[in-house]
Amino acid sequence: MTDVVVPSSELTRRTIRRTDWVAENAAFIDCRTPGSDRKSNYAFIGPGVSQNAKQFINLSEPHGYNVGAAGMPNGVNNNLHLHFTAEVFINFGGTFRVRWGVDGKAGEYVSHDGDIISVPAWIFRGFTNEGPDEGLLLTVLGQDVTGGIIWGPSVLKEAESYGLHLTADNRLIDTVAGDELPSDVPLIKPIKQEYIDELTPFSVEEMRARVTAAEDRRYSARGLLSQAVPGGNGQLALVIGYGMSEDRRQVPRLHEPHSFNMAWLKATPGEGMLRHRHGATSTLIVKSGVWRVTLNEGDAQESVDLGPQDMLSVLPGSWRSIELLEAGDDAAEDGTGELLVVNAGDGRVRLEWAPEVVEAAFDAGWMLDPNGYLAPVAVLVTATEDD
């Protein structure tokens, strides 16, 4: 793998702190619809599906996925719409009622803090904040180019009454603000009933299987080579895809392609993931605690400390280590901090561990087998003698 050294200026640029978030309150066509007119939309990595050219984007370069968020006061709705690529909600605080189906009546799920919900492509979905005003849903969308969204027929009709229209090239036209309707690009019309009838239905039970709540997480005590070494005992719980796990028995909650994989990493203070690298674009998002991420090696090392709702985009091929400094007041019951890891790609993410990690793990009796899974040194290397 080619060495990638991340300079201090690039580390700063790729660090998105909670204080760097810039809200857009007119990102979508329902921005004047009563009950939906107080949403704050954020685009952290990639433009997502925002329909407003003024949407601020923290990092615009392609990652293989988009990361954003919706901040909604109590009682505010995100109206029914359809995506062409994967959409994953990460509940970062609050109570949200997620509904689906063209009329929102096919099923509902009430989401709580820490839930991850993967909503299938090509079904209508919407959600309402039923919790406190500071409720927050992070979103990860599949692919760099998402193709925009299709709004429910009633949403388009109501928006039109407020002077809002959507063009075929995903531009929001606001005639109340003085925009003129384009003559060279058609306006989006409501989807026809014959195509609605062809959409795949999802039962409540099927959708619940796509939710990873706190009680659904399965952490592995043998998921990473560094767990055999002091300071490296961070534990992974797979959510989407096999990702970075080196536990041959560990199975993700969801297997289907999303264009990214996702896992929780938890650790106690002083623990985490020792120095490693891999070839996928990666985003680290802090749920709780204060985490130190150190990039590069030797004299070129650069570190950044991340708190709740801070995130870091890590370049492919760059050496990195991850350590929980303190669990904080929002620590989990077991005293751990939590961090979400998102990597590009649908396949496994094969880690390259730093030589000192490999050596220390070997001395502790563990190494990786030819398939990249954790195995005892005694089985792979040491010949067993008969008594």
Side-chain angles (χ1 to χ4, degrees):
M1 190 179 301
T2 303
D3 284 336
V4 175
V5 177
V6 182
S8 176
S9 58
E10 184 66 4
L11 175 59
T12 299
R13 190 182 75 85
R14 303 182 78 90
T15 301
I16 303 173
R17 299 197 180 278
R18 181 62 180 87
T19 52
D20 298 327
W21 294 18
V22 178
E24 175 55 61
N25 299 112
F28 298 109
I29 199 169
D30 63 344
C31 61
R32 290 205 184 101
T33 302
S36 301
D37 52 352
R38 292 182 294 142
K39 291 185 297 183
S40 296
N41 291 281
Y42 303 89
F44 308 125
I45 296 175
V49 290
S50 177
Q51 294 163 338
N52 192 326
K54 297 179 181 178
Q55 175 82 60
F56 179 83
I57 305 170
N58 294 85
L59 285 174
S60 58
E61 60 259 44
H63 280 60
Y65 51 84
N66 293 254
V67 181
M72 299 161 54
N74 175 271
V76 170
N77 297 317
N78 190 316
N79 281 300
L80 292 161
H81 60 284
L82 176 156
H83 287 267
F84 307 116
T85 66
E87 180 178 41
V88 175
F89 300 134
I90 305 103
N91 190 327
F92 257 50
T95 302
F96 291 86
R97 184 175 297 274
V98 180
R99 58 197 183 279
W100 59 93
V102 68
D103 56 2
K105 297 179 180 179
E108 293 184 340
Y109 171 78
V110 178
S111 170
H112 299 284
D113 189 14
D115 284 356
I116 295 181
I117 308 168
S118 174
V119 184
W122 284 95
I123 74 165
F124 284 98
R125 80 292 308 269
F127 49 92
T128 303
N129 180 5
E130 296 185 350
D133 283 348
E134 62 269 20
L136 181 69
L137 278 183
L138 266 65
T139 58
V140 180
L141 300 174
Q143 308 297 336
D144 290 314
V145 179
T146 64
I149 56 181
I150 293 177
W151 289 99
S154 62
V155 179
L156 287 175
K157 291 176 181 177
E158 188 166 12
E160 186 175 349
S161 70
Y162 293 102
L164 294 169
H165 306 267
L166 185 63
T167 66
D169 57 356
N170 203 41
R171 286 182 292 126
L172 188 62
I173 304 298
D174 186 350
T175 56
V176 173
D179 294 345
E180 293 185 1
L181 295 176
S183 58
D184 57 338
V185 180
L187 298 179
I188 292 292
K189 300 296 183 183
I191 185 173
K192 294 181 179 181
Q193 187 63 42
E194 62 181 293
Y195 301 119
I196 292 174
D197 293 340
E198 293 180 358
L199 299 177
T200 303
F202 278 83
S203 68
V204 173
E205 292 75 18
E206 288 173 319
M207 192 64 76
R208 178 59 182 87
R210 304 181 66 85
V211 176
T212 304
E215 62 268 24
D216 299 318
R217 301 178 195 171
R218 300 292 182 266
Y219 288 94
S220 173
R222 291 294 182 198
L224 297 165
L225 182 66
S226 69
Q227 286 176 273
V229 184
N233 194 30
Q235 297 186 17
L236 288 176
L238 302 181
V239 179
I240 297 169
Y242 286 87
M244 301 186 300
S245 178
E246 295 172 335
D247 181 347
R248 66 183 182 276
R249 297 185 180 90
Q250 195 170 22
V251 178
R253 180 84 167 163
L254 289 174
H255 306 77
E256 71 185 60
H258 282 61
S259 87
F260 57 86
N261 57 80
M262 183 179 292
W264 287 107
L265 175 69
K266 75 172 184 178
T268 54
E271 300 291 339
M273 289 181 68
L274 298 177
R275 199 158 63 92
H276 65 283
R277 63 181 178 178
H278 59 76
T281 304
S282 184
T283 302
L284 311 176
I285 308 172
V286 175
K287 181 68 171 65
S288 62
V290 178
W291 296 77
R292 175 166 293 169
V293 182
T294 301
L295 303 184
N296 308 327
E297 55 184 339
D299 294 339
Q301 284 190 349
E302 298 282 350
S303 296
V304 61
D305 294 348
L306 305 173
Q309 300 181 7
D310 292 345
M311 62 188 77
L312 173 66
S313 167
V314 184
L315 281 169
S318 57
W319 289 105
R320 82 288 306 265
S321 61
I322 306 168
E323 177 191 1
L324 179 68
L325 298 181
E326 57 183 78
D329 297 334
D330 52 353
E333 292 183 2
D334 57 0
T336 58
E338 298 172 325
L339 178 149
L340 192 67
V341 183
V342 182
N343 296 313
D346 290 314
R348 286 175 57 198
V349 178
R350 299 288 290 266
L351 303 181
E352 178 185 348
W353 293 98
E356 69 272 12
V357 178
V358 174
E359 182 178 351
F362 188 93
D363 290 342
W366 293 95
M367 63 184 296
L368 297 180
D369 70 13
N371 206 23
Y373 288 120
L374 205 62
V377 170
V379 173
L380 295 180
V381 176
T382 306
T384 301
E385 297 181 355
D386 294 332
D387 293 336

